[in-house]
Amino acid sequence: MSNSKATKNITNVGGATGAQNIANLWHDHFYKIYNSVTDSHYMSAFYSKIDSLNLSIDSFPITVSAVDTAIGKQKLGKACGPDGICMEAFIYGGHRLRVLLCLLFYACIMYGYLPSCFLHSAISPLVKCNTGDLTDVNNYRAIAIANSISKILESVLCEFVETCDTVDDYQFGFRKNHSTALCTHAFKQTVDYYTQRGSHVFACFIDFNKAFDNVNYWLLFCKMLDKSTTTVCYLTTRLLAYWYSHQRMFVRWQHTTSETFGIKNGVRQGGILSPFLFRFYIPYVIYLAV
């Protein structure tokens, strides 16, 4: 169900009434969330590391075949991004379009720059629980709808980003072909093993509040640089840092929109790279907490 259909009968959220007033309320709400983490020094540390590197590359890191594969992974009938261009335009665009996209993506990686069409996304607040309080802002989750071309670039970058670090063997969440159900099963088996032999089991659980939203992406990109082993990984991380630090968002609510705003923390809900970025980031959060 599209967001416009799911929320079309909601006339009051957080005390605000009227579509435009509710959109403005969401603007203030998400602005606070995505500008809530104060970066102490990681941004300057990131650029210091970048400046110390000699980032040049001889071979062409992106191929037309990679772009074709990325487009093949996209789905039909999805909501358009802020530019109004549907994914079908790229899926049925033909070989020449794929060649042009390949050249564009290569230039973006080489120069660490992205045009504005990659930087804009629309936030759609979706109801978490339809039987809950529909006026409560905490009963909504934010889905960031990016432009179709940026989704294709994210799919292409997945290959380079995931080579920056080996996956933790004990990480069950946010991994392809893995599930937290596997983790739960292993945990229960371990507890049963010790309790059946007369031992006590003590466990500690951490519940991260708004985990994706509170990511300090400068810390994330610093650690990605530390783990990078190839020039392509360095260049990709630099591009992601530019992407995140220059992105602009606005809220879309019942065919009305709010003003745009920048973000200083968080990875995008619904982003193709977001599960990997969060999976990469979380060990450092636990380390800092300890």
Side-chain angles (χ1 to χ4, degrees), residues 177-227:
N177 299 324
H178 286 70
S179 168
T180 52
L182 295 172
C183 181
T184 303
H185 178 68
F187 174 75
K188 287 182 176 179
Q189 282 191 319
T190 303
V191 172
D192 289 342
Y193 176 86
Y194 285 102
T195 55
Q196 289 172 6
R197 288 161 175 77
S199 296
H200 295 287
V201 177
F202 301 92
C204 177
F205 298 91
I206 301 176
D207 182 14
F208 293 106
N209 181 38
K210 296 187 181 300
F212 270 36
D213 299 335
N214 289 314
V215 168
N216 182 339
Y217 55 68
W218 288 116
L219 169 60
L220 165 66
F221 297 135
C222 278
K223 297 305 180 182
M224 287 180 67
L225 283 183
D226 293 339
K227 291 289 186 177

Side-chain angles (χ1 to χ4, degrees), residues 159-177:
E159 177 184 352
F160 305 130
V161 171
E162 292 188 353
T163 60
C164 292
D165 186 38
T166 55
V167 176
D168 185 349
D169 291 335
Y170 300 102
Q171 174 63 50
F172 290 85
F174 307 108
R175 290 179 62 188
K176 187 177 181 180
N177 299 324

Side-chain angles (χ1 to χ4, degrees), residues 81-262:
D83 63 2
I85 300 177
C86 297
M87 184 60 73
E88 285 81 352
F90 296 95
I91 293 175
Y92 301 117
H95 179 72
R96 181 175 295 181
L97 176 60
R98 286 159 169 72
V99 173
L100 295 175
L101 288 175
C102 179
L103 294 171
L104 173 62
F105 295 164
Y106 171 74
C108 291
I109 290 180
M110 283 301 301
Y111 296 102
Y113 174 83
L114 286 168
S116 60
C117 63
F118 290 90
L119 306 175
H120 288 82
S121 57
I123 294 178
S124 290
L126 297 182
V127 177
K128 292 180 181 178
C129 178
N130 288 320
T131 59
D133 184 1
L134 299 183
T135 67
D136 183 5
V137 295
N138 295 313
N139 191 28
Y140 293 79
R141 59 189 178 96
I143 297 296
I145 303 175
N147 289 327
S148 298
I149 191 172
S150 66
K151 295 178 183 178
I152 298 170
L153 177 58
E154 277 196 281
S155 293
V156 172
L157 293 180
C158 276
E159 177 184 352
F160 305 130
V161 171
E162 292 188 353
T163 60
C164 292
D165 186 38
T166 55
V167 176
D168 185 349
D169 291 335
Y170 300 102
Q171 174 63 50
F172 290 85
F174 307 108
R175 290 179 62 188
K176 187 177 181 180
N177 299 324
H178 286 70
S179 168
T180 52
L182 295 172
C183 181
T184 303
H185 178 68
F187 174 75
K188 287 182 176 179
Q189 282 191 319
T190 303
V191 172
D192 289 342
Y193 176 86
Y194 285 102
T195 55
Q196 289 172 6
R197 288 161 175 77
S199 296
H200 295 287
V201 177
F202 301 92
C204 177
F205 298 91
I206 301 176
D207 182 14
F208 293 106
N209 181 38
K210 296 187 181 300
F212 270 36
D213 299 335
N214 289 314
V215 168
N216 182 339
Y217 55 68
W218 288 116
L219 169 60
L220 165 66
F221 297 135
C222 278
K223 297 305 180 182
M224 287 180 67
L225 283 183
D226 293 339
K227 291 289 186 177
S228 296
T229 57
T230 65
T231 301
V232 174
C233 287
Y234 289 124
L235 291 171
T236 302
T237 303
R238 182 183 66 174
L239 181 64
L240 289 174
Y242 180 90
W243 195 340
Y244 268 78
S245 59
H246 288 80
Q247 61 185 320
R248 304 287 298 177
M249 290 186 172
F250 65 89
V251 179
R252 183 182 291 164
W253 178 267
Q254 294 182 352
H255 305 295
T256 63
T257 59
S258 72
E259 294 181 356
T260 61
F261 60 93

